Amino acid sequence: CNLPKNSFKRTGYTFAGWSLEPEGEVAYGDNTNPNITAVPNNDVVILYAIWKPNKYIVEFNGNGYTSGTTASVSCTYDEPCTLPSNGYTKTGYTFKGWATTNNGSAVYQNNAKVKNLTALNNAVVTFYAKWEPITYTIKFDKNSSEASGTVSSIVCTYDAACTLPSNNFTRVGATFNGWAVTSSSAVKYNNRASVKNLTATPNGTYTLYAHWNVNTYKISYNYNGGSAGSYNPSTAKYGEVITISNPSRSCYSFDGWRISNYDSSYAKYGNSSSSVTSSIGTYTSGKYFKNLTATNNATVTFTASWSYSCSSSRDDDYDYRPSGGGSGSSNRGNSGSSGSNCDTRCKMEKNSRDWHNADENTRKQLENDNKNLMKELPECCGGSCCDRKNDGTIKDSNGKCIYTGVGKTCS
């Protein structure tokens, strides 16, 4: 007769057949004719169920990985099974273990021993890599020995936005305009920018460098009747040594520059490009300048200051002295005598100055003398005080035109 169909069950095992001995070899299959010939005296034959442990496969899912692979393993029910080392990598993340669902927590670590993950024969169990984003530090470099102040480091998490702090560095003569990724590269991030994933190194440090634009200032000139020299730059950068030539003016000596809107804390001048160390005073006649102002786009103004330059011998030689009867006399032999235009103007200026304190007769003599002296001046044209030589019309200390001493005209 045929054996009945097996109805026994054992978790994690598959029925293999019947044996005449416990733990023996399978002698009879399920629902087969045993054809038993050796029957005991009691006519009872005991058959023992033989069980074969189930085998199952453990597979590994990278769960958002970047690269790599991890081979599956075959496990046997009721036997320890060693998980392999994780072979996956994910940029910016650290492997934390294996989870049983794609969004679950890590349950097993690398090389863990597991057992009885499933009771089903030939089943597949999937483990999912569990990843944790790394953290990194952003440091801030002032990127100049001339800068001062501090900006505190911040800690950021990979794949999460991170807001840069406000810049607290300052640098005289320069303007901060953002953060660069190297000390010499262009601006990559603005102040308080949102950044992300600057480095994928766990606990790494990423440095951002302050980027400075050196301030540029403007220079304007008031030559005050004079003419510009060879070098008169209209702009300069902070820290740059610039050359400014002295101006010139016919019949005048240059006393120096009167400089306005300069920054007294930083502005310097000198007579050598390698030694620009002197502080600027009321009048400055240096040729080399630097750091006139630290303010971007500010304007510094140079105003020329002049002294009228007369020949002392010719000037002192002209002196009217009233004599008896109210008439005046002069030790000048000829009012039209030869001499430079500057000397002629000096004499006319002196006549005009003396005219204000002279008696009536002397005044007439001074007026007549200036009319004769006027003929020596090429700029006396058209019956008025013109400026043919571009060196300015001349007035005395009372504001009177000196060409006639009184009449404010050349005729």
Side-chain angles (χ1 to χ4, degrees), residues 252-268:
Y252 285 82
S253 295
F254 180 64
D255 292 334
W257 294 107
R258 215 167 50 246
I259 306 174
S260 58
N261 203 34
Y262 69 94
D263 194 327
S264 60
S265 298
Y266 309 107
K268 301 295 180 182

Side-chain angles (χ1 to χ4, degrees), residues 82-144:
T82 302
L83 300 182
S85 294
N86 167 51
Y88 296 115
T89 61
K90 183 178 181 180
T91 301
Y93 286 77
T94 300
F95 176 76
K96 300 302 292 181
W98 300 106
T100 57
T101 62
N102 63 351
N103 58 357
S105 300
V107 178
Y108 303 107
Q109 298 301 313
N110 255 349
N111 305 122
K113 291 188 179 300
V114 297
K115 188 177 180 181
N116 300 347
L117 296 179
T118 179
L120 300 178
N121 193 37
N122 297 321
V124 175
V125 176
T126 302
F127 281 166
Y128 298 85
K130 182 65 178 179
W131 303 103
E132 182 176 85
I134 61 102
T135 60
Y136 59 93
T137 299
I138 303 178
K139 294 176 64 177
F140 302 90
D141 190 304
K142 61 185 179 181
N143 200 21
S144 172

Side-chain angles (χ1 to χ4, degrees), residues 327-372:
S327 62
S329 63
S330 171
N331 60 358
R332 179 181 186 272
N334 182 357
S335 63
S337 64
S338 62
S340 72
N341 292 329
C342 295
D343 289 340
T344 300
R345 291 193 188 95
C346 284
K347 293 165 189 173
M348 294 176 72
E349 184 177 11
K350 188 173 188 304
N351 286 351
S352 180
R353 186 171 59 247
D354 292 344
W355 182 89
H356 293 284
N357 299 315
D359 57 37
E360 183 176 352
N361 289 334
T362 304
R363 283 186 174 188
K364 289 184 179 298
Q365 292 173 347
L366 293 170
E367 290 170 12
N368 289 332
D369 193 59
N370 269 9
K371 287 179 180 180
N372 289 327

Side-chain angles (χ1 to χ4, degrees), residues 134 136-140 154 156-160 162 164 181 188-189 194-201 205-208:
I134 61 102
Y136 59 93
T137 299
I138 303 178
K139 294 176 64 177
F140 302 90
I154 59 174
C156 301
T157 300
Y158 200 84
D159 269 345
C162 200
L164 301 181
V181 297
K188 182 72 177 288
Y189 304 108
S194 179
V195 300
K196 193 175 180 180
N197 301 348
L198 295 189
T199 179
T201 303
T205 297
Y206 194 87
T207 302
L208 292 177

Side-chain angles (χ1 to χ4, degrees), residues 28 42 49 55 61 87 107 110 112 114 150 160 166 200 216 239 266 283 303 317 326 343 346 354 369 374:
Y28 309 108
N42 59 4
K55 290 186 179 295
N61 186 304
V107 178
N110 255 349
V114 297
T150 58
S166 292
T216 298
Y266 309 107
Y283 294 100
T303 301
D317 193 38
D343 289 340
C346 284
D354 292 344
D369 193 59
M374 172 268 295

